[in-house]
Amino acid sequence: MESLEDILGRHPFFAGFEAAHGRLVAGCARNVRFAAGQYLFREGDPADEFFLIRHGKVALELIEPGRPPVVFATLGEGEIVGASWLLPPYRWRLAARAVELTRAIGIDAACLRGKCEADHHLGYEMMKRFLPILVERLQATRLQLLDVYGKR
Amino acid sequence: MAAPDPFLPQPWRVERRRRELIGAVTLELAPLAGERPDFLPGQFNMLYVFGVGEVAISLSGDAERGTAFVHTVRNVGAVSGALTRLEVGASIGVRGPFGSGWPLAEAEGADVLLVAGGLGLAPLRPAVYALLARRERYGRVVIMVGSRSPEDILYRRELEHWRRRSDLEVLLTVDHADADWRGHVGVVPALIPHAGLDPVETLALVCGPEVMMRFTANALLAAGIRPERIHLSMERNMKCAVAQCGHCQFGPFFVCREGPVLRYDRIAGILAVPEI
């Protein structure tokens, strides 16, 4: 049976990761599964675990008072769900809901934050991997904000 | 027989009219004299609503079938608005077809990725028909479509039909959705890294709002596709359609003559220049 370390090692997010760092991250990881419709987390919850999707689809939602939730992005296989665990106050700013049966690796945020603090080389490697994801999502949000398909 | 004067609109009749989306219709036009001229997927016509004006609209039907010109038009101005209000039996003037087509001969032997944003699917639809007509000549054919919302997806029924085919991959995404939508949400360039494209073998055809095409081209480049394998259909203010008036001048190009389909490596340097 594959270990979590093996699975994480093959995940694109950890491409080029040192084996020792892989072991450290795997020590904070667990397999998780979400049924369709189940929330991975909700806005305001403590950001104590983030997820690497192995299979399935997750919708990111924002709630407007008095309206149904607005889905502004979906994430699928190979993608990362959640960045609020990186920065204080470590609370989710949005909700994540499984659109279909979703299998993922959950990584304990407090555990990993502690290891990153103890080993800044590991922390820098994590930041180097998260920053491009955040920038890509920022760029995509800018394009969405332009509402380019509307009547102009 | 001498070719018709490219400046002289020929009379055509609206044979069919289908509402596609709010403010967008598909018109099937039949010539009042003679036969429909041949056209290449990617080309456009100038449609003239008498007394209102003329506008460039891409051809969106099958180049190898039928006897009509098919155009999908969205109401964004005086002329396009008048076109969307035409009823069956109305007469309009037609000049064309004009411009360059999609490089389908160059695509032979390659995987073909078509990326459409909003009504940008209309000029790509003839390319899909042409690829399907000679399906054995191409590798993977992947269609990515980005829309504002599920309600704004153009040709939705046809896309569902294509999606059921085993020789075509169709990926839809919308910018915004409610919880009932089970498909992708996000911008269309975000789909590109997940398509498993072979960058050396892929030729990309892109059509949509210019900013969407710039983002898409960046994502294609990041996926390893070479600039000369990326083709964009440009929209500029085409008036004469025969490279005389200069309204559609785009740096060294006249979009009506060298375009609307232009190779990315030829225009990358001027694409983000606001003054151009």
Side-chain angles (χ1 to χ4, degrees):
Chain A
M1 192 175 148
E2 275 187 315
S3 67
L4 281 171
E5 193 179 329
D6 294 333
I7 295 168
L8 286 174
R10 278 204 320 279
H11 196 284
F13 181 81
F14 290 106
F17 223 53
E18 286 178 18
H21 285 154
R23 275 191 294 279
L24 285 172
V25 176
C28 302
R30 66 179 182 122
N31 271 309
V32 289
R33 193 164 72 162
F34 300 94
Q38 188 178 352
Y39 277 86
L40 285 69
F41 50 79
R42 293 176 188 269
E43 185 177 336
D45 286 351
D48 51 13
E49 188 175 30
F50 69 98
F51 304 92
L52 284 65
I53 304 176
R54 297 181 61 198
H55 171 82
K57 186 186 287 179
V58 172
L60 304 184
E61 296 179 348
L62 277 173
I63 294 176
E64 286 187 88
R67 292 186 172 190
V70 175
V71 179
F72 64 91
T74 50
L75 301 172
E77 187 178 327
E79 295 190 288
I80 306 284
V81 184
S84 297
W85 68 277
L86 279 163
L87 299 165
Y90 310 122
R91 293 211 171 254
W92 296 118
R93 309 290 179 89
L94 46 84
R97 175 181 49 83
V99 176
E100 57 195 40
L101 174 66
T102 298
R103 300 185 185 94
I105 306 281
I107 298 186
D108 183 309
C111 169
L112 187 55
R113 281 197 300 263
K115 289 180 179 178
C116 290
E117 206 54 61
D119 179 347
H120 287 183
H121 184 44
L122 169 65
Y124 181 58
E125 285 297 322
M126 290 300 294
M127 288 297 172
K128 277 202 295 187
R129 284 162 169 75
F130 258 92
L131 199 56
I133 293 170
L134 297 177
V135 170
E136 279 301 312
R137 291 184 187 171
L138 174 64
Q139 296 285 11
T141 304
R142 285 175 176 164
L143 187 52
Q144 277 175 310
L145 281 174
L146 288 174
D147 193 20
V148 292
Y149 307 132
K151 187 172 175 177
R152 298 163 76 80
Chain B
M1 195 175 95
D5 182 342
F7 282 110
L8 189 63
Q10 301 297 314
W12 289 60
R13 177 181 183 275
V14 178
E15 286 284 291
R16 288 196 180 81
R17 176 188 190 277
R18 186 174 56 251
R19 182 181 175 278
E20 300 283 359
L21 306 168
I22 294 171
V25 300
T26 292
L27 302 174
E28 290 187 28
L29 307 174
L32 288 178
E35 295 183 348
R36 186 198 79 183
D38 291 338
F39 71 90
L40 299 170
Q43 286 191 304
F44 67 95
N45 277 330
M46 299 300 297
L47 304 185
Y48 182 17
V49 182
F50 300 117
V52 182
E54 200 180 38
V55 66
I57 303 287
S58 293
L59 286 141
S60 55
D62 191 334
E64 296 179 28
R65 298 180 71 175
T67 56
F69 276 146
V70 178
H71 292 280
T72 298
V73 188
R74 169 178 271 174
N75 175 3
V76 292
V79 186
S80 60
L83 282 166
T84 62
R85 291 188 291 273
L86 289 175
E87 299 293 342
V88 170
S91 290
I92 64 169
V94 175
R95 295 193 293 127
F98 297 113
S100 59
W102 299 108
L104 298 175
E106 184 190 337
E108 289 192 11
D111 295 345
V112 186
L113 169 65
L114 304 96
V115 188
L119 254 65
L121 183 57
L124 280 166
R125 190 167 69 162
V128 177
Y129 294 141
L131 292 167
L132 292 176
R134 293 171 187 78
R135 185 64 190 85
E136 72 286 355
R137 298 189 187 182
Y138 306 95
R140 285 178 69 194
V141 176
V142 182
I143 303 171
M144 295 180 178
V145 179
S147 298
R148 189 185 199 187
S149 72
E151 296 73 36
D152 293 311
I153 297 173
L154 185 66
Y155 309 142
R156 190 160 181 177
R157 189 177 298 178
E158 194 165 23
L159 284 167
E160 292 301 329
H161 171 69
W162 289 342
R163 186 139 70 166
R164 285 194 293 272
R165 292 180 65 123
S166 59
D167 57 354
L168 210 52
E169 296 162 64
V170 177
L171 298 170
L172 306 181
T173 188
V174 298
D175 277 359
H176 307 284
D178 59 26
D180 294 334
W181 169 252
R182 297 182 63 79
H184 292 284
V185 180
V187 295
V188 69
L191 296 177
I192 290 167
H194 305 289
L197 301 169
D198 178 339
V200 177
E201 297 296 338
T202 300
L203 187 129
L205 315 178
V206 186
C207 188
E210 204 169 304
V211 64
M212 164 265 171
M213 292 200 292
R214 292 208 308 271
F215 274 77
T216 300
N218 288 338
L220 293 168
L221 295 171
I225 297 174
R226 295 194 306 276
E228 65 271 23
R229 304 272 283 175
I230 301 170
H231 299 262
L232 312 182
S233 182
M234 298 300 297
E235 260 190 41
R236 291 282 154 152
N237 185 18
M238 293 183 279
K239 292 287 189 189
C240 74
V242 290
Q244 294 295 311
C245 72
H247 281 93
C248 68
Q249 189 167 2
F250 181 51
F253 306 109
F254 286 104
V255 172
C256 69
R257 182 177 62 191
E258 281 88 17
V261 178
L262 289 163
R263 231 172 62 185
Y264 178 72
D265 62 321
R266 300 178 73 196
I267 58 172
I270 57 175
L271 203 53
V273 178
E275 295 80 4
I276 293 177

